[in-house]
Amino acid sequence: MLINFNPLALFQTKGKIKKVFREAKASYLNRVRFAVGMFYFGMGLSFATWASRIPDIKTALHLTEGDLGSILFALPVGQLAIMPFSGKMVTKFGSHRILIFSLIMYVFCLINLGLATTSLQLSLGLFLFGIFGNLANIAVNTQGVYTEVLFKKTIMSSFHGMWSFAGFTGALVGLGMLALKLNPLHHFIIVAIVVLIMVAFNFKFLVRAKEKKKAKEEGKKLFVKPDSALLWLGVIGFCSMASEGVMFDWSGVYFKDIVKAPGPLVVLGYTSFMIMMASGRFLGDGLINKFGRERVMQISGVMISAGLFTAVFLPYIIPCTIAFMFVGLGVATIVPTVYSIAGKNPTVPPGEALTIVSSVSFLGFLMGPPVIGHIAQSFGLQFSFAFIGIFGVLIAFMVSKIRTTV
């Protein structure tokens, strides 16, 4: 599962690649960066498209909160099923090949979700959606690391910003599809075509490189014990992405069932969240340079809690819209910052550190929404949002545990 990526080995994989990138002009490198960014965008757009229509699918299949929570578990199960193999596949076949294949399959799985007419079909569709989503996630982040090496500066935050911007775009498209009264299947087909066109225009500019082979004795080490700093970073990422995942999967349901937002305004909370998260990620590097990682992460954690608790105690359109904006700003910089710190770990190679932390973090994104469904079934949706609100306070507290690495 671990990707033992040595940045210096990037130009040792094939002579052709070595020549292309060593002699590449700045304009070509910018084209590579744009291409990788568009794959991040395609992934984010696909997931946001699914998230924007969850309330409609829930209604169409006559699902309760508990039913939906159980079905949503299929997605993390799919992620976990492929996780032991995804890193090895990226290493063996190359991140560019796996990324192209997995993103194409990802959008076909999206269409399949629109075809579901029973709970079982939706569960199976989400399982496959999770499998190809994990493959694409590992591959695209590996491409992001390769591209950072080419530019010799940190640009990972901008890539995550593209993913978030795609989420905002997906929310707007979802709003338009609701206004046009298009059903989820037609909506998903349109988005799938757009993503496939993006793949066709950008796949040639992905970085074509594979990791350098390890020695046989090193290859036998399947598990590596991470140091305590990476564990704390993983837990912080878990809390942040759990909050983010809840916004993706449950913000629409919250606005429909709790806020009682009329018609297309059901996606207003999700849209406001995505706008602020995308904006925060594009501005994140400047804020960190000015105030420092530790302070920005602590303030971000407080903002997550403040936003979720506000939505719980003031369940009205305007307060909830503002509250979800706070949550968006709160989660914006935490994960990119966690990845940045992990990549500079002095005892673990960057690729291994990033894979460990991202795997733990992404579990929060996957596990949070299903857990929320079951808590909501027993205690109500507002109580479940309050429960996730505690995670922001935990983030602010745990940042002190990695003070020396920040």
Side-chain angles (χ1 to χ4, degrees):
M1 184 173 67
L2 301 180
I3 300 177
N4 185 23
F5 169 56
N6 177 7
L8 297 179
L10 173 61
F11 305 112
Q12 299 174 2
T13 53
K14 294 182 181 180
K16 180 179 180 181
I17 298 302
K18 178 180 177 181
K19 181 178 180 181
V20 167
F21 289 105
R22 285 187 64 181
E23 300 179 2
K25 295 181 180 180
S27 59
Y28 181 79
L29 293 181
N30 286 330
R31 183 64 181 88
V32 170
R33 180 178 180 178
F34 176 81
V36 174
M38 291 308 294
F39 273 84
Y40 274 90
F41 185 89
M43 285 183 60
L45 181 62
S46 299
F47 189 84
T49 298
W50 148 249
S52 70
R53 300 309 293 264
I54 288 177
D56 298 284
I57 293 176
K58 174 178 177 287
T59 300
L61 299 184
H62 307 290
L63 303 174
T64 66
E65 281 80 3
D67 292 335
L68 181 59
S70 296
I71 291 171
L72 290 176
F73 263 119
L75 199 153
V77 169
Q79 294 268 1
L80 291 172
I82 196 65
M83 193 173 290
F85 311 102
S86 55
K88 295 178 182 178
M89 292 173 65
V90 168
T91 301
K92 182 175 182 179
F93 300 107
S95 58
H96 61 290
R97 295 188 183 95
I98 295 298
L99 179 54
I100 295 168
F101 167 74
S102 59
L103 185 54
I104 290 173
M105 294 304 299
Y106 197 51
V107 296
F108 278 112
C109 288
L110 175 66
I111 295 174
N112 189 48
L113 294 176
L115 292 169
T117 57
T118 67
S119 298
L120 180 60
Q121 290 176 340
L122 183 60
S123 297
L124 180 59
L126 284 173
F127 178 80
L128 295 174
F129 201 54
I131 286 178
F132 291 107
N134 181 265
L135 278 174
N137 179 59
I138 297 297
V140 79
N141 277 292
T142 303
Q143 280 287 311
V145 173
Y146 281 135
T147 309
E148 271 195 335
V149 173
L150 296 178
F151 277 81
K152 299 179 181 179
K153 64 179 181 179
T154 301
I155 58 175
M156 187 66 77
S157 181
S158 65
F159 286 144
H160 284 264
M162 287 297 292
W163 195 92
S164 300
F165 179 67
F168 165 63
T169 303
L172 286 182
V173 172
L175 184 63
M177 296 297 178
L178 285 172
L180 293 173
K181 297 182 179 180
L182 287 181
N183 62 38
L185 176 59
H186 293 156
H187 178 184
F188 294 171
I189 291 174
I190 292 171
V191 171
I193 292 173
V194 171
V195 174
L196 290 174
I197 291 173
M198 288 192 297
V199 170
F201 277 95
N202 292 285
F203 78 94
K204 291 183 179 180
F205 295 94
L206 293 178
V207 181
R208 288 166 172 77
K210 294 197 297 184
E211 297 172 30
K212 191 176 181 180
K213 298 290 185 181
K214 287 186 174 183
K216 291 183 179 179
E217 60 272 13
E218 292 178 349
K220 294 180 180 179
K221 298 180 180 179
L222 297 178
F223 301 99
V224 180
K225 182 180 179 180
D227 64 16
S228 59
L230 293 179
L231 292 176
W232 283 112
L233 288 170
V235 175
I236 290 172
F238 179 95
C239 291
S240 176
M241 296 198 76
S243 304
E244 184 177 335
V246 167
M247 288 292 101
F248 271 106
D249 286 5
W250 287 99
S251 59
V253 177
Y254 195 88
F255 258 63
K256 183 176 183 179
D257 295 346
I258 304 299
V259 179
K260 305 297 183 182
L265 291 182
V266 165
V267 299
L268 180 60
Y270 174 82
T271 304
S272 64
F273 164 78
M274 289 305 308
I275 290 174
M276 300 312 292
M277 185 171 73
S279 300
R281 284 183 169 168
F282 283 116
L283 299 173
D285 290 336
L287 293 173
I288 291 171
N289 289 332
K290 184 174 182 179
F291 300 106
R293 289 192 178 102
E294 182 179 342
R295 182 175 297 180
V296 170
M297 290 178 75
Q298 288 177 329
I299 293 175
S300 296
V302 172
M303 292 181 72
I304 292 173
S305 294
L308 289 171
F309 288 138
T310 298
V312 169
F313 294 110
L314 296 173
Y316 310 105
I317 290 183
I318 294 178
C320 277
T321 300
I322 296 173
F324 284 12
M325 287 181 177
F326 270 81
V327 178
L329 282 175
V331 301
T333 58
I334 292 178
V335 170
T337 302
V338 163
Y339 287 0
S340 177
I341 297 172
K344 298 174 184 177
N345 187 281
T347 61
V348 181
E352 293 186 3
L354 286 170
T355 304
I356 293 168
V357 173
S358 63
S359 296
V360 176
S361 300
F362 209 69
L363 284 177
F365 187 78
L366 299 172
M367 298 299 291
V371 170
I372 281 295
H374 288 280
I375 295 176
Q377 182 72 14
S378 300
F379 303 101
L381 194 55
Q382 286 173 280
F383 182 88
S384 61
F385 267 58
F387 174 79
I388 295 297
I390 298 173
F391 285 8
V393 177
L394 291 177
I395 290 171
F397 170 75
M398 287 186 293
V399 167
S400 63
K401 298 295 183 179
I402 58 167
R403 189 186 303 274
T404 58
T405 65
V406 178

